């Protein structure tokens, strides 16, 4: 199983944005749409062994955690940004009334929303997966021996804060796909194709 | 210099599609938008050593060739699909009156449109670059020694036709990023990051 976790510091936590201007009105939910595309999609296929956690920390009600669970997902994920943004909107609407921090609402089979924090999700993930923080100064992924269950944490276009990085120190190994600073969706596309090439791919 | 060439068999050759429904109305120009994103964009940066040729073969006036020339490009390429689709629309509008097969119209500095065919563009590219056809059954890219100027041909979501493949036989080496069938944008993201890791990157 492959888990990808992205913390989006400005992504809106209410469905108050325009599909016709995602970059300008949503706190860059377009970044999350491309992230989901890279995590799940093959040409004419879908990766069932993938889980994605989107951690939204923008206004007005942070945090919101949206989970896409590959093995159970029964809603079609299309490659284009707009249709994926609609799914995120539905999840945010379904999560509007949520008060309890630990409760998850099932929006569709395999798609869930909750008020979980970034730290909650990382701790939960640690129970079943080896955790890696994708960072340009980490160890090259080609030198890492990956176990069957792996989880990768990425920052959005602004990157993770010092506080988030301090939290990850000691629990997530820093790994890298290269020394440049790449877009999160490109990193995930690279990691997926790289993992596929291993003798025992996670 | 890195050149990426994609043949889009259904992509509309007139700006007659809706930005609010690219997958349904444009012959999948959304695929080309994600392709451009992967070819050019870094996190907070832009690859100047990249050229992209989009070969559009859909209705009503095929072919149209749109060239994005990294070293000269003076129009901003944003990561989202919609703003990139607007650039493609402008190029198609600028190319509406074109009759001569060899003439290129400059839409903005570094962005051009013409009636060149896929074969024209491949022949032109061969003059200055080693040509590769990205195909799941090709030689792994990790085993290839890439010269300073490289060009990669990719098919769209439907792939290249037998006729196109016959044309490429003998002039383009088949190379592969893996045995699965990946989305064109993911392949280009992978190839760019892979080339960056070489001692003398093209």
């Amino acid at each position: 199983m492959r888990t990808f976790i992205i913390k989006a510091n400005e992504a809106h936590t209410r469905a108050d944005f325009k599909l016709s201007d995602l970059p300008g009105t949503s706190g860059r939910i377009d970044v999350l749409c491309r992230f989901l595309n890279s995590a799940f999609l093959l040409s004419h296929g879908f990766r069932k062994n993938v889980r994605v956690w989107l951690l939204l920390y923008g206004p007005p009600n942070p945090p919101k955690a949206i989970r896409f669970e590959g093995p159970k997902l029964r809603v079609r994920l299309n490659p284009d940004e707009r249709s994926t943004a609609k799914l995120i909107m539905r999840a945010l609407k379904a999560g509007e009334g949520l008060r309890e921090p630990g409760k998850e609402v099932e929006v569709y089979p395999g798609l869930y929303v909750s008020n979980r924090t970034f730290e909650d999700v990382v701790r939960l993930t640690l129970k079943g997966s080896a955790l890696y923080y994708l960072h340009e100064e980490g160890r090259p992924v080609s030198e890492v021996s990956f176990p069957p269950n792996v989880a990768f944490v990425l920052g959005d276009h602004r990157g993770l804060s010092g506080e988030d990085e301090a939290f990850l120190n000691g629990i997530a190994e820093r790994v890298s796909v290269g020394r440049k600073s790449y877009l999160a969706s490109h990193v995930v596309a690279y990691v997926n194709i790289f993992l596929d090439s291993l003798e025992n791919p996670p």
Side-chain angles (χ1 to χ4, degrees), chain A:
Chain A
M1 191 76 176
R2 307 177 187 178
T3 301
F4 296 101
I5 300 167
I6 186 168
K7 188 174 180 205
N9 286 306
E10 298 162 5
H12 284 205
T13 43
R14 190 184 288 163
D16 59 0
F17 46 87
K18 286 184 193 167
L19 291 170
S20 59
D21 183 12
L22 287 173
T25 65
S26 71
R28 300 305 307 277
I29 280 180
D30 59 305
V31 171
L32 303 182
C33 297
R34 291 189 294 277
F35 188 81
L36 286 163
N37 170 309
S38 291
F40 279 113
L41 297 182
L42 293 165
S43 182
H44 311 289
F46 175 83
R47 294 181 183 274
K48 285 203 168 176
N49 64 333
V50 167
R51 173 190 300 122
V52 167
W53 285 99
L54 309 177
L55 278 305
L56 288 72
Y57 270 78
N61 297 314
K64 283 281 180 278
I66 302 178
R67 174 162 68 104
F68 286 75
E69 191 75 15
K72 294 184 186 169
L73 203 64
R74 290 292 167 277
V75 62
R76 191 178 164 80
L77 195 67
N78 288 310
D80 67 299
E81 287 166 19
R82 191 182 168 99
S83 69
T84 307
K86 281 187 191 170
L87 287 182
I88 293 173
M89 272 188 152
R90 291 211 192 128
L92 290 175
K93 280 181 188 162
E96 268 179 17
L98 271 173
R99 293 289 169 271
E100 308 88 327
K103 194 185 167 194
E104 259 192 342
V105 173
E106 185 177 75
V107 187
Y108 296 108
L111 175 57
Y112 311 88
V113 62
S114 69
N115 292 339
R116 283 178 175 153
T117 65
F118 174 66
E119 290 81 0
D120 289 340
V121 168
V122 167
R123 282 195 203 99
L124 193 66
T125 302
L126 269 176
K127 289 180 188 169
S129 300
L131 193 70
Y132 303 93
Y133 170 29
L134 278 158
H135 189 281
E136 53 260 49
E137 283 160 24
R139 187 151 68 109
V141 289
S142 57
E143 296 176 8
V144 180
S145 174
F146 289 103
N149 290 311
V150 293
F152 299 91
V153 178
L154 293 91
D156 65 0
H157 58 296
R158 295 283 177 91
L160 290 186
S161 68
E163 203 176 326
D164 294 329
E165 292 197 335
F167 170 70
L168 291 176
N169 270 346
I171 57 174
E173 185 184 0
R174 287 190 184 205
V175 297
S176 168
V177 303
R179 292 282 176 247
K180 291 183 201 265
S181 185
Y182 297 111
L183 292 173
S185 56
H186 297 181
V187 173
V188 170
Y190 186 94
V191 167
N192 260 332
I193 295 176
F194 172 78
L195 293 177
D196 291 343
S197 77
L198 299 178
E199 207 169 326
N200 294 303

